[in-house]
Amino acid sequence: MSNYKKIKLDEAIGLNYSENLENHKKYMNSGLVDYLSLVDLYRRYVKAKGSSLWDEQGNEYLDFLGGYGSLNIGHNHPKVIEAMDKVKELPNLMQASFNPLAGALAHNLAQITPGELQRSFFCNSGAEAVEAAVKLAKASTCREKIIYCDASFHGKTLGSLSFSGREKYKEAFYPLLNWGCKIPFGSTEILEDSLKDRQVAAFMVEPIQGEGGIIIPPQGYLKKVREICDRYNTLLILDEIQTGMGRTGKMFAFEEEGVVPDILCLAKSLGGGIMPVGAMITTDLIWQKAYGSIDKCLIHTTTFGGNTWAMASCLAALEVIEEEGLAQQAQEKGVYILEKLEGFKNKYDLVKDVRGRGLLIGVELNSAEGTLNKISGGLVKNLSKDFTGALITGELLNRYNIIVAYTLNNPNVIRLEPPLNISYEQIDYMLDSLEKVLTKNKGFLSLASKSSKSLIRGSKHILKSITGK
C-alpha cells in the first residue's frame, strides 16, 4: 500500500483543469468525458455563489441550468451554510433514536402541503423517493400495476427506470419490472381505460414533464386525473422532484389546478443545493395501511435518510424559499422570459417552440440532423438527431459564459432552469446572448458546419459511448 499515491482533500481541492479531467477519464465515466469534450462543455469551476460560478482563470459564468432544478435558492446560500455550521457538532446518524430535525422537517412539510398529506419518509434522492412511493402504493392497496406516462422521467434505478418513458435508458437492462403500463401524457381517456380493471395501485405522473422537454399538459388535466383515480380507488402519485419548491410559480406545481395527490415525491431543491435529500409524503390513512403496525414499521427504511446535516439544509431551504418569496419571483420572472422568447419563434427558423411555467422553461429547436449528416458525410448519423440542443449549449457556454443543458428525453429542447432569485439583469444578458447565437446561426448551416468538424474529430468510440450503437 505504501507504493500507492493517494490524493488528500487539500490536494483534491487544488486539482487543475487537466488533472481533474485525467482522473475522470481514467477512473470514472470516460464516455462522459468524451461527450462533454465534443462541444467543449467542460470547465474547472472553483467558486459558486448565487447564480454565478467562476473557473480557475477567474471567468464568471451564469448558471441557467441550476443543477437540473436542485438550485432553486442558488449556489451556497448563506442561510443553508449557516445551518450546516449550527449542527456540525450534533450526531449526524442516529438510527436507534429519533432525530429532532427530521421530526421538525416532517412537521413543516405537513404544514405547507395541502389536503391530508401528513407523513414523510426521508431518503437521499429523487429516484429513492419514487421507489418509496411505488412500494407504499402497492403495500397499501394490495394491487399490482403502476401506470406511468411516455416521455416521463422518474429516475435511473431499476425500479424507477421501469416507470420512465425513454427506451434509450431502459433497453440495456431488460427485463425490468413487468407490472408497469405506459400511457400518453395528457390523455385522460386512456388513463380511465387503464384503470377500469381495478388492478392499478397508482398512477404516477409529473405535473409538468421536465426531462420530456418541458411539456405542459392540457388545462384541467390534473383535476380530471384526480377524479378518475378517485373513481377507481387508484392512488395518485405526483412526482414534484423537479417542479416543486417554488420552481413553477407556486410551492408545488399541482396547486395550479387545486388538486392534492395521495403520495408526493420531492427531492432536488429540497436540500437547499447543499445536501442530497429526497422525501415521500403521504396521508396517515395510506401510511397506516402499509406500515402502521409494529411488524411492518421496518419494511422500508434507509440508512442515511433523515440525517442531521440533510435535515438542517432542508429546514433552512424552506425558510429561504418563503422569506424571499421565491415562488412569486419564479412566476413573475417566468412570465417575463416567456414573453421575450415568444418573439423568437417567428423570427428564427431554429426555434420550433417555446413553453414553460415559472422558471421551468423549454426552448425547442428544429433538428439539425439532416445538415449535420450531409456535412459529415453520414459519420454522425447516429448522433446528430440528439445533438441540436448540444450545439446551442456549446455556443452559449463558449461565447457568452452561460450554462444551460438540454432535456434528457428530448435533446432538442434547451432548458432554462436558473435559481429563482436570479436577477433581471442576468436574465436580460441570457436572452440577449441566446438571440445573438440564433442570429449568427440562421438555418443552422454555420453552426452545424463548425460543430460537425468537432464531431468528426471524435472517434467511433465516442459515438458508441453516447449512442450505444
Side-chain angles (χ1 to χ4, degrees), residues 65-92:
L65 175 58
Y68 303 107
S70 299
L71 294 164
N72 287 9
I73 67 174
H75 291 272
N76 295 327
H77 195 288
K79 188 148 194 169
V80 181
I81 299 298
E82 180 185 359
M84 299 293 93
D85 188 60
K86 288 180 179 178
V87 301
K88 65 184 180 182
E89 295 186 2
L90 294 178
N92 192 38

Side-chain angles (χ1 to χ4, degrees), residues 342-357:
E342 278 294 324
F344 290 7
K345 281 201 296 186
N346 296 327
K347 193 173 180 181
Y348 302 105
D349 292 339
L350 292 179
V351 180
K352 181 178 181 180
D353 193 24
V354 173
R355 53 185 177 263
R357 185 184 300 158

Side-chain angles (χ1 to χ4, degrees), residues 212-279:
I214 320 300
I215 306 298
I216 299 177
Q219 183 65 34
Y221 172 66
L222 287 183
K223 187 168 289 188
K224 184 67 174 175
V225 163
R226 178 72 275 179
E227 293 171 1
I228 294 170
C229 287
D230 288 342
R231 189 175 303 140
Y232 298 100
N233 295 319
T234 297
L235 300 182
L236 174 58
I237 302 172
L238 287 184
D239 179 344
E240 290 255 12
I241 290 164
Q242 188 165 180
T243 56
M245 314 311 294
R247 170 60 55 185
T248 66
K250 294 185 180 296
M251 182 63 81
F252 308 107
F254 64 75
E255 294 180 284
E256 186 75 21
E257 293 194 21
V259 303
V260 180
D262 299 297
I263 305 172
L264 174 64
C265 296
L266 299 175
K268 292 189 182 291
S269 279
L270 178 62
I274 299 294
M275 296 297 295
V277 185

